């Protein structure tokens, strides 16, 4: 049911692509804190599809649908247990270009939205956790050209009372 909600929201965003350019983001994740302990610090991958909506010369909105995958790693404190984590995201990002040039230069970014987390453990202490939570991220980006950019950001999402997903994300963006 939750996957259906994400797909419906993604379909609702598609008409916005007529106003602005669609794009994709691919990123590497380095988990920290609770998430690092659960997955053994194993780096992950992610991707997102977005549309850019210019609001003013220096402000751009970027609604997106994305996923994150953290492969199985040794769970701290539970010998013989390996855990993995995934999330499906429906976020809205705001990009601020201080030089008011959204096709080139440095920008600050912030994002907020819904994330569907799933954490699965196998081995000596098997378990499955699933939760839909609000997530946020923020960081810096650099737009090399109209089409290509890079970003570094931190992310945060409280999965449950014993697990907060935090970490660093390094991304490349391509606009079409």
């Amino acid at each position: 049911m939750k996957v259906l909600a994400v797909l419906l929201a993604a379909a609702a965003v598609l008409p916005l692509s007529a106003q602005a350019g669609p794009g994709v983001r691919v990123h590497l994740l380095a988990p920290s804190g609770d998430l690092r302990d659960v997955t053994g610090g194993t780096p992950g991958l992610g991707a997102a599809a977005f549309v850019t909506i210019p609001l003013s010369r220096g402000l751009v909105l970027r609604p997106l649908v994305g996923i994150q995958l953290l492969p199985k790693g040794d769970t701290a404190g539970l010998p013989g247990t390996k855990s993995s984590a995934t999330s499906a995201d429906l976020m809205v990002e705001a990009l601020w270009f201080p030089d008011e040039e959204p096709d080139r230069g440095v920008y600050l970014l912030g994002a907020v939205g819904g994330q569907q987390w799933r954490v699965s453990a196998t081995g000596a202490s098997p378990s499955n956790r699933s939760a839909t939570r609000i997530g946020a991220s923020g960081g810096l980006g650099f737009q090399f050209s109209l089409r290509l950019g890079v970003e570094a950001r931190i992310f945060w999402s409280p999965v449950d009372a014993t697990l907060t997903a935090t970490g660093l994300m390094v991304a490349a963006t391509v606009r079409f």
Side-chain angles (χ1 to χ4, degrees):
M1 185 65 175
K2 293 175 185 178
V3 174
L4 179 60
V6 170
L7 292 174
L8 289 173
V13 171
L14 289 177
L16 296 174
S17 65
Q19 297 176 17
V24 295
R25 177 181 76 204
V26 293
H27 51 270
L28 296 172
L29 299 163
S32 64
D34 298 338
L35 192 58
R36 180 187 61 233
D37 293 343
V38 168
T39 62
T42 306
L45 298 171
F50 61 82
V51 294
T52 55
I53 303 169
L55 296 180
S56 68
R57 289 180 47 97
L59 186 60
V60 175
L61 280 185
R62 207 166 62 181
L64 66 84
V65 175
I67 59 167
Q68 274 75 240
L69 307 167
L70 291 155
K72 285 186 181 178
D74 294 326
T75 304
L78 296 173
T81 302
K82 292 187 176 284
S83 297
S84 64
T86 62
S87 77
D89 309 332
L90 182 59
M91 309 285 281
V92 175
E93 299 178 327
L95 286 65
W96 177 62
F97 293 83
D99 293 337
E100 296 186 349
E101 185 62 45
D103 294 336
R104 188 174 311 280
V106 175
Y107 59 91
L108 295 174
L109 64 96
V112 67
Q115 294 185 297
Q116 171 66 43
W117 284 96
R118 180 168 171 82
V119 180
S120 299
T122 59
S125 298
S127 68
N128 286 308
R129 293 188 259 183
S130 184
T132 302
R133 299 288 186 255
I134 290 186
S137 67
L140 291 168
F142 188 83
Q143 194 69 33
F144 290 104
S145 66
L146 175 65
R147 299 197 187 283
L148 183 61
V150 294
E151 299 172 352
R153 65 173 77 197
I154 57 172
F155 64 91
W156 169 89
S157 182
V159 178
D160 64 28
T162 62
L163 175 61
T164 300
T166 58
L168 176 66
M169 182 186 301
V170 177
T173 62
V174 177
R175 292 190 283 179
F176 303 108

